[in-house]
Each structure stands twice: as structure tokens, then as C-alpha cells.
Amino acid sequence: MAHDWWRDAVFYQVYVRSFADGNGDGVGDLAGLRSRLDHLVALGVDALWLTPFYRSPMADHGYDVADPRDVDPLFGDLAEFDRLLADAHARGLRVTVDLVPNHSSDQHVWFREALASPPGSPARERYVFRDGVDGGPPNNWPSIFGGPAWQRVPDGQWYLHLFAPEQPDLNWDNPEVAADLRTTLRFWLDRGVDGFRIDVGHGMAKPPGLPDMDIADLKLLESAENDLRFDQDGVHDIHRMIRSVLDDYPEAMAVGEVWVKDDDRLRLYIRPDELHLAFNFRLVEARWRADDLRSAVEHELHVVEGTDSPPCWVLSNHDIVRHVSRYGEGLTGERRARAAAMLEFGLPGVAYLYNGEELGLPNVELPDEVLQDPTWLRSGMTERGRDACRIPMPWTGGEPPLGFSPRDVETWLPMPPAWSALSVEAQEADPSSMLALYRSALSLRSKHPAFDGGLEWLPMPAGSLAYRRAGGLVCAVNTTNAAVDLPAGHTADDVLLASVPLVGGTLPGDAAVWLA
């Protein structure tokens, strides 16, 4: 059997509106992405994941989809998408796209029809409409973005929206919903896309009767045993339906955004007839401590053990504080992020990286008046949302827009002038830059035989960890602030790559090394 291309691939997440602006309006688009494909080839990634570029009112920056089978004019058109796909494929890059099956936009033709139809009508049955209880909403569920998860319509009924009110949840008990998603899948697969990232892959299915739940301990996007909004058993029927379509396209794949912490529950999503891959977010949630990082790795290896699915690693994405900032900001955060990248890229399986992490971009604290994430207003301006990790990419030095746009325009979120020093142009001239480290690491990962096979843990001093791959690679990570010895039997002569230079043959604090 041929080796599935995605099993050890490095995917690069393109947050389309923040990657590159081709038409000079300050918002990233498909033409801008197409103009920067050579950067991704030089970086050494294998595949792209594009965030939604479909027709949308942009209440949640494209995750409120009005037409899942067309391109929003903000980003281009279908012809531009086809050119992007052809150019990417010509460079050896696979292209995967976001799928948003939990909800639609409130501007979707179906929802407009539902609002114009009476309670109990077939149009309303495509969504989750219910009568209220004692003058209030049907149950006590909160929205992920703050406030209640229900919106009342003029005739007195309520509709469910687990996210923004502009994102009504689809009713997956209605066969029309599944039929429409099958049409969407085939539309993009027939155009040549290589797979999908499934948004809210642990959502969609709802419990019978929509009962109240204990909401005392719920946190943003954190699935818990008492969180009835997510990880319902019926979701697996939906994933089997999706897989049945993908199986008609032998090289296509799907990865799920599955915020499920229990290993046994998460494993259900990667059964042979469901998802090919599921993100395990434990590495995202791990503190910069050797025991936390090792535990995150062990949990993911345990999840995939006995399945046909490889591990799937991620450190940052468009919903998460960038790991430079999570690990301490400034020089400390950058140094730890360099080591974390080597930890991730040395592991077996699939690695996802988020645009800008190859430059060491941090979160940016923005002034209140420019915030756009719906969480900001929905939370009563108490939760600042995710804008801080979505600032446009700096490509050249000088003043903003730093090469992001061909014109001197204000970008959709403001760019810090200090990012001139973090730009692609600046880092390409610096052999010790984050960009240089990423390029070296991904080149070694793709070409060196030491990266084959599973792993075993090696003895290391407290506060550090090391593993050996079956192919011979040894990765050692030191999370303390004091140097430690290299794993037994290894010297500085064995170094393939180090996140920072070794000191006297020892591994400095907040550093990682690859040995062979």
C-alpha cells in the first residue's frame, strides 16, 4: 500500500485575512497567498490549511458561512481559488480547507427562509428552533462567545447559537443538513482540494431534549463531562458520513478540531471509519515544564495507540495565545518557543504550525477600539478575544504594513512598527533567526532517516526530557534555567541542530537539541 501523504506531513495554517494582501485593501486574500507560496516552499512545509474564505458577512471573520460553495469577494473568487490551487500543487504543496458544519451564517439562504417561515415548518427544522420556558430561553446553555446560547425571534421562538447569534446551529437530525454537507465536500474535492479541517469537530450533535446543565466550571472551548453542548455520541455518525464521501477520493483526508480531554473519548474520533486525524491540544495547554510536556506527548501517543491514525501535534493556531507569549513573552518566550518547535518537529506523526510562528511572532495587546472578535462585545468587554494572535504577517522591514499589502494602507488589525525586526526580510538575513531555525528543522525532518519510527524516553536530569526515535534521532529539551548534560553516550559532535548554541558540551536552559 502506498504511504498516505499526510501521515508525517507538516501543515501550515494560513489565516487568510492575515497572511498576505494581494489587492491593497488591507485584508489578506487568495491572490496575496498565491504571491507568497515560495515562502512556504522555502520553509519546507508539505501542505496548507486555509481558514474560511467562503461568502460571509464576517461576523466571526468567515466562520459564519453564508455560502460554503463560493468565495467571498473580500478574498477573491472561484477562479482565483483555482489558480491558487494549481500554483500550490505545481510547487508540491497540498491544499486543505476549513469545513464549518456546526452552524451557518444568519445570512444563509436557509436561515433567512427559516425566519420567514412559521414555527414547525420544514425551513425551521434545518436549525435548532425551540419554544421558550417560563418566558426565557429553552435551557441554560451559554454561548462560547459569552451570553446565552439562544436568540429570540419576533414570533416568540428561540434558536440555538453555540457561538455568535449570527451563527445559528444547524440541526443535524435533519437529513437535508447532511445532504448539503455532502454536496459541499464533493464541490471542493472535485475542484482538487486535498482535504479538510473540520471546525468544532466535537460539536454538531445535540443531546435529546436539550436539558439544562451545570455551568459553574465551563471555560472557553473546554469540553468537560458536564458540557452537554459537545462530544455527544451522535457526532460519530456525522464523521462516518463525512468519511464515506472522502473514501471516494483516495488521497483526501480530514483532521478534526476536537476539544476533548479524555483520551478514551478522543480515540473514538479516529476509528477507521471516522477522522484520519484529530488535534490533541494537550501540548497547547502544557506549561513550560518538562513533566507537563512529557505528559502531553504521552497522552497523545496513548490516544493513537492501536489505531491507524498518527499523532497530530500543534502549538498555536488562530484561537490560541501564540506560544512565544504563553511561554513568557520577550526573549524568554522566544527562546522557549525555539525549543518547543524542535520538540514538536522531532516527534512522530503530523505537525501543524500557524502562520507567523516561524517568525516568532508574539500576541499583541491591541487598543480596545480596534478589537473585532465577537467575544469582546458578547462578554460585555471583559474577554478580549482572539485578535491578539491574528495580526497580519510582516514581510519586509520599514513601517507598517511591512510588505503585507502592496499599498500604504491601514491593515484590518494594526501592525506593530517593531515587527520590522521580525519580518521575513529581516530574518532571511540572519542565520540565527527563528525563520532559519524552522527552515533547518523542517529540512532535517523531511530528509534525515533518523526521524523514522516511534520513540522511547531516555533518562535526563529533573526539569529536562529526552526521547529517542527508532531511526536514531535523540531530542533533548531543558526547561530549567541551568545547563544540563546531554543524554548519556552523546557529545557535541553528535549535534544535528540546536535551538541555541551548546555551552561547553552541555544543553543550556530553555533550549533543545537534536542528536544523531
Side-chain angles (χ1 to χ4, degrees):
M1 181 187 298
H3 179 74
D4 295 317
W5 65 267
W6 44 267
R7 287 189 171 277
D8 52 8
V10 176
F11 287 77
Y12 185 97
Q13 181 192 354
V14 177
Y15 192 67
V16 177
R17 62 171 46 239
S18 292
F19 188 69
D21 170 18
N23 64 4
D25 65 357
V27 180
D29 49 39
L30 298 180
L33 168 55
R34 189 161 66 95
S35 74
R36 296 293 187 179
L37 289 175
D38 288 343
H39 167 73
L40 303 175
V41 173
L43 183 58
V45 301
D46 304 297
L48 311 182
W49 151 30
L50 311 188
T51 55
F53 49 85
Y54 316 117
R55 283 192 177 268
S56 168
M58 303 295 164
D60 187 22
H61 293 146
Y63 282 94
D64 50 317
V65 179
D67 184 347
R69 298 187 286 275
D70 198 6
V71 175
D72 195 275
L74 184 68
F75 301 126
D77 55 26
L78 280 169
E80 184 59 52
F81 177 82
D82 291 341
R83 287 190 289 270
L84 168 64
L85 193 63
D87 284 4
H89 284 166
R91 288 165 168 80
L93 295 170
R94 304 274 186 165
V95 178
T96 67
V97 299
D98 235 313
L99 196 69
V100 188
N102 180 73
H103 47 263
S104 79
S105 165
D106 64 349
Q107 297 305 304
H108 191 289
V109 63
W110 276 4
F111 195 72
R112 294 203 304 266
E113 183 182 349
L115 291 182
S117 301
S121 62
R124 289 210 174 173
E125 285 303 306
R126 298 177 184 134
Y127 293 91
V128 185
F129 277 86
R130 294 289 187 275
D131 294 328
V133 176
D134 296 330
N139 68 23
N140 69 342
W141 291 6
S143 161
I144 292 294
F145 289 161
W150 294 93
Q151 184 79 9
R152 197 170 192 173
V153 300
D155 60 34
Q157 277 207 311
W158 302 71
Y159 69 86
L160 180 68
H161 58 89
L162 293 186
F163 295 88
E166 297 87 352
Q167 295 167 292
D169 276 52
L170 290 159
N171 174 20
W172 272 93
D173 292 330
N174 187 326
E176 281 190 78
V177 174
D180 189 69
L181 186 69
R182 283 193 290 268
T183 301
T184 296
L185 289 164
R186 293 189 185 280
F187 178 88
W188 295 108
L189 290 165
D190 289 341
R191 285 194 109 78
V193 306
D194 300 289
F196 301 91
R197 176 264 190 183
I198 301 179
D199 184 60
V200 197
H202 59 314
M204 299 177 278
K206 307 299 190 287
L210 304 180
D212 282 351
M213 60 186 183
D214 178 3
I215 62 172
D217 298 321
L218 294 184
K219 298 177 182 178
L220 180 67
L221 287 179
E222 183 175 329
S223 188
E225 287 184 7
N226 66 336
D227 191 343
L228 301 179
R229 301 171 298 178
F230 301 110
D231 193 32
Q232 295 296 306
D233 289 340
V235 73
H236 299 288
D237 294 330
I238 301 168
H239 286 300
R240 280 189 282 272
M241 180 277 292
I242 293 171
R243 181 61 176 265
S244 71
V245 175
L246 293 176
D247 283 348
D248 289 340
Y249 301 79
E251 294 195 347
M253 54 73 67
V255 59
E257 179 199 25
V258 183
W259 287 89
V260 173
K261 288 192 170 183
D262 181 86
D263 289 356
D264 293 333
R265 296 290 300 180
L266 183 57
R267 187 181 297 112
L268 297 177
Y269 288 82
I270 51 174
R271 287 179 286 194
D273 58 350
E274 295 193 39
L275 290 163
H276 299 84
L277 301 168
F279 288 121
N280 189 324
F281 293 104
R282 286 184 181 272
L283 202 56
V284 165
E285 296 171 334
R287 295 171 297 173
W288 184 248
R289 291 175 45 134
D291 52 352
D292 276 25
L293 296 171
R294 175 168 170 164
S295 175
V297 172
E298 288 175 335
H299 273 285
E300 172 66 347
L301 296 177
H302 176 63
V303 166
V304 302
E305 185 177 5
T307 77
D308 192 42
S309 181
C312 186
W313 312 104
V314 60
L315 289 169
S316 285
N317 67 32
H318 65 295
D319 289 328
I320 298 167
V321 175
R322 286 184 177 272
H323 53 282
V324 165
S325 296
R326 290 204 313 272
Y327 293 151
E329 298 282 8
L331 293 177
T332 296
E334 180 184 343
R335 186 177 174 111
R336 291 171 175 175
R338 293 172 68 94
M342 291 186 61
L343 169 71
E344 178 188 14
F345 295 148
L347 292 165
V350 177
Y352 274 79
L353 63 98
Y354 174 44
N355 62 218
E357 77 171 72
E358 76 274 25
L359 306 178
L361 299 185
N363 266 35
V364 175
E365 283 304 312
L366 296 165
D368 292 355
E369 61 269 18
V370 305
L371 294 178
Q372 299 187 31
D373 192 314
T375 303
W376 174 238
L377 290 178
R378 292 280 299 168
S379 68
M381 294 182 287
T382 60
E383 298 285 343
R384 297 185 64 78
R386 302 156 294 175
D387 293 322
C389 68
R390 299 175 173 183
I391 311 301
M393 283 269 288
W395 292 95
T396 61
E399 296 294 323
L402 299 171
F404 171 76
S405 175
R407 299 177 187 161
D408 184 15
V409 296
E410 289 189 7
T411 51
W412 76 277
L413 287 174
M415 302 176 69
W419 275 16
S420 175
L422 296 178
S423 68
V424 174
E425 180 181 63
Q427 296 201 34
E428 283 184 325
D430 179 3
S432 66
S433 67
M434 184 77 82
L435 179 58
L437 178 75
Y438 267 65
R439 287 177 173 177
S440 296
L442 294 180
S443 177
L444 282 167
R445 187 184 193 273
S446 68
K447 297 172 183 174
H448 202 291
F451 290 78
D452 291 340
L455 67 77
E456 62 174 336
W457 296 103
L458 302 178
M460 284 291 285
S464 58
L465 62 86
Y467 59 79
R468 179 190 288 120
R469 297 285 300 277
L473 173 79
V474 170
C475 175
V477 181
N478 179 8
T479 66
T480 73
N481 57 12
V484 297
D485 290 334
L486 298 178
H490 287 277
T491 70
D493 293 337
D494 301 326
V495 172
L496 284 174
L497 186 65
S499 63
V500 296
L502 301 192
V503 177
T506 62
L507 181 61
D510 292 333
V513 64
W514 285 347
L515 307 160

